[in-house]
Amino acid sequence: MSHNDPVHIQLATPERWADLVDLFGPERGASGGCWCMWPFLRGKDWKAMTREERRDAFQQKVDAGPAPGLLAYRGSLAVGWIALGPRSQYLRFQLGKTSQPLPEDSEQAIETTHAVTCFYIRKGHRGTGLMSLLLDAAIGHARAQGARQMDACPMETDKPLQWGEGFVGIADVFRRAGFVEIARRSPKRPLMRKTL
């Protein structure tokens, strides 16, 4: 498997669950056993769950649909993940100090906004442009789902990131994809938006 192999993007549907488990690591569950449940829950509720409960809860989301994200493949190997969907479904993103909607955002605007909440790239495939490819595919997917805009609250960085720090995305990747900063409530976490 080479970094030069073409990448294809697929919806994270129930038949792709085994690929998602393989990507995240059956025991590890991506970043510290998150299983991508972090953006859906209040902090205390997330901490109260075991890794297995988070995995099962996320599998229920995949099974119930719509797909909670996209998978990037090189050949038959899942090498990357982006979580996205309607902003209103991500409780922590909605309530978070850095990521909550603007005061002037109407309820209707929020209902037609999708959010990108996290990425996960397989070790050995990081630094190969997968984050940009996944974000471009996510923009197209959100547009096809009728979203009017997309929000994200990525990491602003001027130094190499430590393991796991970039799971929310890198601000420069979002800028290159046409997102603009609409608020900065934390020095390293701009709230960014793209009109679709």
Side-chain angles (χ1 to χ4, degrees), residues 15-65:
E15 60 273 14
R16 296 187 182 280
W17 174 250
D19 296 340
L20 192 56
V21 171
D22 180 67
L23 173 64
F24 283 3
E27 301 301 321
R28 193 174 59 251
S31 302
C34 177
W35 284 102
C36 222
M37 287 303 294
W38 182 85
F40 290 103
L41 303 165
R42 293 179 187 273
K44 63 182 172 69
D45 298 327
W46 187 86
K47 288 177 186 170
M49 296 174 82
T50 65
R51 284 182 189 208
E52 293 75 22
E53 288 170 332
R54 291 181 202 135
R55 180 198 60 220
D56 294 348
F58 193 57
Q59 185 173 11
Q60 287 173 8
K61 289 189 178 296
V62 171
D63 287 347

Side-chain angles (χ1 to χ4, degrees), residues 10-165:
Q10 301 290 334
L11 288 169
T13 53
E15 60 273 14
R16 296 187 182 280
W17 174 250
D19 296 340
L20 192 56
V21 171
D22 180 67
L23 173 64
F24 283 3
E27 301 301 321
R28 193 174 59 251
S31 302
C34 177
W35 284 102
C36 222
M37 287 303 294
W38 182 85
F40 290 103
L41 303 165
R42 293 179 187 273
K44 63 182 172 69
D45 298 327
W46 187 86
K47 288 177 186 170
M49 296 174 82
T50 65
R51 284 182 189 208
E52 293 75 22
E53 288 170 332
R54 291 181 202 135
R55 180 198 60 220
D56 294 348
F58 193 57
Q59 185 173 11
Q60 287 173 8
K61 289 189 178 296
V62 171
D63 287 347
L70 305 173
L71 287 162
Y73 287 83
R74 284 195 166 112
S76 61
L77 183 69
V79 293
W81 159 257
I82 184 172
L84 79 148
R87 190 189 221 287
S88 57
Q89 75 181 0
Y90 294 113
L91 183 62
R92 191 185 299 229
F93 194 81
Q94 285 289 89
L95 300 176
K97 182 186 91 166
T98 58
S99 55
Q100 63 187 256
L102 299 178
E104 61 268 26
D105 285 342
S106 68
E107 202 170 304
Q108 182 182 10
I110 293 169
E111 287 302 318
T112 59
T113 300
H114 277 211
V116 173
T117 58
C118 69
F119 294 83
Y120 186 79
I121 307 297
R122 187 183 288 272
K123 187 176 180 182
H125 293 266
R126 296 170 189 159
T128 65
L130 283 173
M131 189 177 283
S132 292
L133 292 173
L134 282 162
L135 182 56
D136 288 346
I139 291 165
H141 176 69
R143 190 177 279 129
Q145 296 298 304
R148 300 281 181 93
Q149 56 193 15
M150 291 180 79
D151 284 358
C153 197
M155 179 71 68
E156 188 79 78
T157 180
D158 53 6
K159 63 177 180 59
L161 296 175
Q162 299 302 311
W163 180 88
E165 283 183 321

